[in-house]
Amino acid sequence: MTFVEQIRQRAADLKCRIVFPESDDERVLAAASEIERTGMGTVILVTDNARLAETSSRSGLHSVHAEDESPLEFAHRMVAKGEADACVAGAVYTTADVLRSALRNVGLSPGVRVASSAFYMVLPPGAHVNEVLTFTDCAVVPYPTAENLADIALAAAHDRQFIVGDEPRVALLSFSTHGSAAGPSVDLVREAVAIIRERAPNLAVDGELQGDAALAPTVAARKSPSSAVAGRANVLVFPSLDAGNIAYKLVQRVGGAQALGPILQGFARPVADLSRGAEREDIINVAAIAALQSAGRAEDRAS
């Protein structure tokens, strides 16, 4: 079973209520219908068009009419109140629209200061690294501070446990490995690592590490032989949005990886931001991941 098949099956077991505020988009309707058909979740469509709400209901999909307000705001409030488990938007709305509404209506998890994002990179067969790598942040925070990097790393590690199901091993990347080079960005990464270790002493984290030292055991043995993360990292934290965005697109286009995301992280309840180029399968995959995030947030609230 592939990773995508696994997350869809695990999402189906949760029976989450997933709200879509872009119900006039054909891609979203196709994805919503497939989610309902396969039992991956219960779909709630939000629309500001009363006739469309009635048509959707006749087709077997639950629909809500948001009168005199944005369907996006309405959908995020449903999630905030627990009337839906996750919101999936962004096929039509911009990332800025989604983030502003989510911050206003849902808010961040306790202790989190900045929202961020991750891509789950599913590597092709034969790749000599972990099958699924978390790349963060690739879509939201352009120039993170050390505190921002710590938030980004901790949010990515937290979500990976629920989405992938393994123990996160976090590498904060740089052009330097443990003092092999110097510069302001290297200092930034070192400071972030110190903050993470203070806030999450049991998390496997290391930095600063170059990409090869983070992923290749033979390189790690030479450059960082005592590290519990080097050569085995599965969460890669990039020092800037430039680095993260460039890296995920290169790994996707040149390396043949499947990029699932962007997945928003750090919010109190799951809110998703699709690429506006997303197709039906992309939307279904993001909905599955949002459902898994919902299970993780429920555990957080219970603890």
Side-chain angles (χ1 to χ4, degrees):
M1 186 180 292
T2 67
F3 176 69
V4 167
E5 290 169 340
Q6 289 174 28
I7 60 172
R8 290 189 182 190
Q9 181 57 59
R10 289 167 55 213
D13 294 338
L14 297 172
K15 307 299 182 190
C16 287
R17 299 160 298 171
I18 305 170
V19 59
F20 290 89
E22 298 165 319
S23 55
D24 55 347
D25 186 274
E26 291 183 1
R27 298 164 297 166
V28 171
L29 283 174
S33 297
E34 182 67 8
I35 289 168
E36 280 279 358
R37 186 190 70 79
T38 59
M40 202 187 87
T42 299
V43 169
I44 305 169
L45 300 175
V46 178
T47 177
D48 54 5
N49 184 320
R51 182 177 296 177
L52 182 59
E54 184 179 342
T55 302
S56 298
S57 296
R58 284 202 303 268
S59 69
L61 295 172
H62 182 59
S63 187
V64 177
H65 181 207
E67 296 185 49
D68 303 322
E69 65 178 313
S70 159
L72 180 64
E73 299 272 342
F74 189 96
H76 280 155
R77 280 200 296 278
M78 289 184 68
V79 173
K81 292 186 289 187
E83 296 171 356
D85 298 301
C87 175
V88 177
V92 177
Y93 291 106
T94 66
T95 294
D97 288 336
V98 173
L99 287 172
R100 278 194 294 264
S101 176
L103 288 168
R104 186 163 47 244
N105 294 293
V106 178
L108 299 175
S109 294
V112 176
R113 299 168 185 81
V114 64
S116 57
S117 71
F119 277 87
Y120 288 79
M121 307 299 293
V122 185
L123 281 300
H128 299 295
V129 294
N130 196 291
E131 178 194 2
V132 181
L133 295 174
T134 303
F135 279 24
T136 189
D137 175 18
C138 304
V140 176
V141 186
Y143 303 108
T145 65
E147 285 281 357
N148 292 159
L149 277 180
D151 273 355
I152 290 165
L154 290 169
H158 177 275
D159 278 3
R160 184 179 176 94
Q161 295 176 77
F162 300 103
I163 294 169
V164 183
D166 59 5
E167 282 298 314
R169 297 185 296 275
V170 182
L172 276 79
L173 301 183
S174 173
F175 62 87
S176 168
T177 295
H178 293 314
S180 65
S185 66
V186 177
D187 294 338
L188 179 77
V189 169
R190 289 177 188 161
E191 184 181 349
V193 171
I195 294 168
I196 294 165
R197 286 176 172 159
E198 182 177 353
R199 291 173 59 184
N202 295 323
L203 178 66
V205 59
D206 200 5
E208 79 280 10
L209 291 172
Q210 291 165 284
D212 55 356
L215 295 173
T218 54
V219 177
R222 293 193 298 271
K223 292 188 174 183
S224 187
S226 62
S227 174
V229 170
R232 304 170 59 242
N234 54 25
V235 177
L236 304 184
V237 183
F238 294 89
S240 71
L241 189 58
D242 285 329
N245 191 272
I246 291 167
Y248 105 77
K249 290 186 176 181
L250 284 175
V251 173
Q252 179 187 33
R253 299 297 177 183
V254 179
Q258 182 179 10
L260 305 182
I263 305 301
L264 295 182
Q265 56 193 26
F267 285 94
R269 293 174 185 262
V271 290
D273 174 40
L274 299 164
S275 164
R276 277 184 284 173
E279 298 298 335
R280 187 192 77 154
E281 294 302 305
D282 301 317
I283 298 168
I284 295 170
N285 292 338
V286 168
I289 289 175
L292 297 177
Q293 285 180 305
S294 177
R297 300 297 184 275
E299 285 192 24
D300 293 341
R301 292 191 293 273
S303 62

